[in-house]
Amino acid sequence: MERHKTLGALLLLPALLALTPSGQGGSIPGAAGRHGPERAPSGMVVSEHWLASEAGRDVLAAGGNAVDAAIATGLALAVTHPAAGNIGGGGFMVIRFPNGTSTAIDFREKAPLAAHPEMWLDENGEYSSDVHHNSHRAVGVPGTVAGFEKAHRLYGSAAWVDLVEPSVVLAEEGFLVTEGLAEGLSYLVERKGSGYPATVAAFSKDGAPYQAGDLLRQPDLARTLGRIRDEGAAGFYHGETARLVAEEMRANGGLITEEDLDLYQARERTPVRGTYRGYEIVSMPPPSSGGVALVTMLNILEGYDVAAMGHNSAPYVHHLAEAMRRAFRDRATYLADQDFVDVPVHTLITKEHAGSLRETIDPARASTSAPSDLAQGYESPETTHYSVVDADGMAVSVTYTLEAGYGAGIVVPGAGFLLNNEMGDFNAGPGLTTDRGLIGTDPNLARPQQRMLSSMTPSIVAKDGELVAVVGSPGGRTIINTVLQVILNVVDFGMDIQEAVDAPRVHHQWLPDRIRIEEEGVEASTVAELEAMGHPVDMGGRQGLAHSIMIDPATGERLGAADPRNPDSGARGH
Ligand code: DON
């Protein structure tokens, strides 16, 4: 399954610290040694690549606001972090203003006009996971550039050209490949994208893999970014870039046309809001399931003294898993693009709904999950999250993605950017729900112009009207649970933001019915206790990259916590 391939790609990220040019490398979870948080008096950017954080920080230092810095960071990541940073994908931006109000920008990809629910079934009705996840038919209409332009038009303050220019320079002049990027690019050109000559040309040295320390220049991408700098979103959705995308699609059985690109619009949405022990949670509404599921789980857990259970103790992991199980069943049953489907968001995030779910939890025994639990009859996980806070306290939380690491592995010839494989987040086909986690419910089937269901959970936490933290993560369906645990670590366990990000994480997603715990996550005796309660437990792997910011309540300083699970990440403040 693609999800496993994606996790595989994530695990390719090496824990080599030698090339990390700052104190932001450091330990992996459980390892000795502190490496943060980074402190700054005014503004902070934390992202997957220190060069992108620097691009955002420079915008803040020049007087731009957090939205401006988020746009510059996102475009720089499209150059320095091609696994997930993108202009060929989509995502979400949650914004909290200094006066306490908030909004969200939805730039999730859309299905092309020619899409239909059975588009990954062959003439015999056989479903092809490969076509669904690894072909031109896996590509959704990209949303990132439209989303950034909309956010800038509505809430930016700096000149657009100044936000795009740093990424043009990075692509044109190049930057040094790290160990992690070298490994990722060799996976791309030797495996995933080996069948696409433009991919091999863009990301190898005439066919030979890049090595750590090499300079990576991307001249085609620099020209595309130059058109975006000069023409705004029109430089992507019309003219040369649109023509190159549509030609690539026509020549390879893809569905996206010039008309699909012309029709794409980002949407402003009302965030999902909840409360947890007096803290206010602001997160992403549908087409992400993230905000709804996060608030549901927090509401369930509010009924327990989780701090008294002990961090990552068996009772704690049990209650986490049971809350996760219930929120993910709701997700499979109800969540999808609310422009197409009635999603009962307001009911799902109530304390009453959580109370009724809590009543079904046995404190000592695992419950079970089965496809037959569904009222109706699906979704699928490289993504990247970054957090920004400016001098005025405006906070921006962005998670965006190509879906799998390097998306579909297809570089648009002449345009130099990778296309997403986000159509893989639509359900595979009507009714295809399995114990292994394939979901076949109706709301999230592919329909023309519909946005595919996401788990991305860019979130902001406040208390008594003051900004507390900016959080989020990649990781497919694990995202929601990663964000949940960072918040619990701060609120219930009193961790500082770096400890909260570093702490080992737990995942359960209803189906498959298993708890997964990061390598060093819990003692063997805890696993035994969980198994005795009836939970199948898998240990291993890494979960998420939760680059976060917290405000020091005493000094107002911005505390940037880059997640050490990727040594290329960086927190940069001023
Ligand atoms: O939108 C989603 O939920 C997924 N396409 C995100 C994919 C992801 O996080 C992969 N990262 N490791």
Side-chain angles (χ1 to χ4, degrees), residues 97-170:
F97 301 98
N99 66 4
T101 61
S102 54
T103 191
I105 308 292
D106 166 5
F107 52 99
R108 182 70 162 169
E109 299 93 327
K110 297 181 82 163
L113 290 164
H116 55 90
E118 294 170 355
M119 62 184 284
W120 301 290
L121 308 182
D122 66 17
E123 56 281 6
N124 304 315
E126 287 293 314
Y127 165 65
S128 167
S129 171
D130 206 37
V131 178
H132 191 192
H133 296 283
N134 290 316
S135 77
H136 285 74
R137 284 192 163 221
V139 184
V141 183
T144 296
V145 178
F148 286 176
E149 185 188 69
K150 189 171 186 97
H152 179 257
R153 183 161 29 85
L154 294 174
Y155 303 113
S157 66
W160 174 255
V161 291
D162 294 338
L163 309 182
V164 190
E165 181 64 10
S167 63
V168 177
V169 172
L170 274 168

Side-chain angles (χ1 to χ4, degrees), residues 5-16 179-188 191-192 382 405-406 542 565-567:
K5 285 186 193 148
T6 303
L7 285 169
L10 192 61
L11 299 179
L12 278 174
L13 290 170
L16 287 174
E179 197 77 36
L181 181 57
E183 250 187 77
L185 293 183
S186 81
Y187 155 79
L188 175 63
R191 292 169 55 195
K192 179 164 204 158
E382 188 96 2
Y406 303 98
R542 299 246 179 271
R565 292 165 180 82
N566 179 3

Side-chain angles (χ1 to χ4, degrees), residues 6 10 108 379 381-383 401 403 422 425 453-456 474-476 479:
T6 303
L10 192 61
R108 182 70 162 169
E379 176 247 7
E382 188 96 2
T383 303
T401 187
E403 158 53 8
E422 216 76 55
D425 278 357
L453 182 61
S454 173
S455 301
M456 292 187 285
I479 292 172

Side-chain angles (χ1 to χ4, degrees), residues 394-412:
M394 186 194 278
V396 178
S397 188
V398 179
T399 315
Y400 75 149
T401 187
L402 291 166
E403 158 53 8
Y406 303 98
I410 302 167
V411 166
V412 178

Side-chain angles (χ1 to χ4, degrees), residues 329-341:
R329 189 184 55 205
D330 277 0
R331 177 187 191 280
T333 307
Y334 301 111
L335 273 287
D337 182 354
Q338 60 191 338
D339 291 343
F340 284 75
V341 173

Side-chain angles (χ1 to χ4, degrees), residues 176-493:
L176 295 184
V177 171
T178 60
E179 197 77 36
L181 181 57
E183 250 187 77
L185 293 183
S186 81
Y187 155 79
L188 175 63
V189 300
E190 286 166 6
R191 292 169 55 195
K192 179 164 204 158
S194 59
Y196 304 113
T199 302
V200 176
F203 290 113
S204 70
K205 299 180 290 185
D206 295 326
Y210 277 100
Q211 308 293 330
D214 285 345
L215 186 71
L216 173 60
R217 296 181 62 241
Q218 301 171 74
D220 285 344
L221 177 59
R223 279 187 286 276
T224 301
L225 288 166
R227 290 192 288 275
I228 293 167
R229 174 196 58 204
D230 299 340
E231 299 163 38
F236 185 89
Y237 293 95
H238 301 120
E240 177 76 353
T241 318
R243 183 182 66 74
L244 292 168
V245 172
E247 265 178 14
E248 172 67 10
M249 288 287 149
R250 268 193 296 275
N252 294 283
L255 301 184
I256 298 174
T257 62
E258 278 100 336
E259 186 183 3
D260 285 306
L261 292 162
D262 177 57
L263 282 172
Y264 187 86
Q265 299 280 334
R267 295 284 308 266
E268 185 168 26
R269 310 244 182 224
T270 304
V272 165
R273 304 175 84 101
T275 58
Y276 181 66
R277 301 192 204 281
Y279 288 78
E280 186 194 338
I281 312 296
V282 182
S283 191
M284 195 64 210
S288 183
S289 57
V292 169
L294 174 68
V295 170
T296 303
M297 293 190 288
L298 287 168
N299 283 340
I300 294 172
L301 294 167
E302 202 173 38
Y304 302 103
D305 186 354
V306 294
M309 296 175 188
H311 186 255
N312 283 1
S313 66
Y316 177 61
V317 175
H318 167 69
H319 285 87
L320 271 186
E322 293 303 327
M324 292 167 179
R325 184 197 306 278
R326 284 156 181 77
F328 275 82
R329 189 184 55 205
D330 277 0
R331 177 187 191 280
T333 307
Y334 301 111
L335 273 287
D337 182 354
Q338 60 191 338
D339 291 343
F340 284 75
V341 173
D342 270 337
V343 184
V345 172
H346 297 294
T347 306
L348 296 174
I349 63 174
T350 59
K351 302 282 182 194
E352 292 72 26
H353 177 63
S356 64
L357 295 175
R358 197 187 305 116
E359 276 171 18
T360 67
I361 296 176
D362 180 332
R365 199 67 219 155
S367 38
T368 54
S369 306
S372 56
D373 296 350
L374 280 175
Q376 320 170 45
Y378 168 87
E379 176 247 7
S380 149
E382 188 96 2
T383 303
T384 189
H385 172 79
Y386 58 98
S387 299
V388 184
V389 175
D390 68 18
D392 293 332
M394 186 194 278
V396 178
S397 188
V398 179
T399 315
Y400 75 149
T401 187
L402 291 166
E403 158 53 8
Y406 303 98
I410 302 167
V411 166
V412 178
F417 64 88
L418 280 155
L419 290 165
N420 68 83
N421 61 339
E422 216 76 55
M423 296 290 282
D425 278 357
F426 279 119
N427 296 351
L432 291 177
T433 301
T434 69
D435 285 340
R436 299 187 59 192
L438 204 64
I439 310 293
T441 43
D442 183 72
N444 187 40
L445 293 171
R447 300 179 185 88
Q449 297 275 294
Q450 185 164 331
R451 289 172 156 94
M452 57 295 285
L453 182 61
S454 173
S455 301
M456 292 187 285
T457 316
S459 304
I460 298 176
V461 182
K463 191 168 195 229
D464 303 330
E466 299 294 326
L467 177 65
V468 171
V470 187
V471 294
S473 179
R477 276 176 264 189
T478 69
I479 292 172
I480 316 170
N481 293 334
T482 294
V483 173
L484 170 72
Q485 289 165 85
V486 174
I487 294 173
L488 295 172
N489 289 348
V490 168
V491 171
D492 290 289
F493 296 101

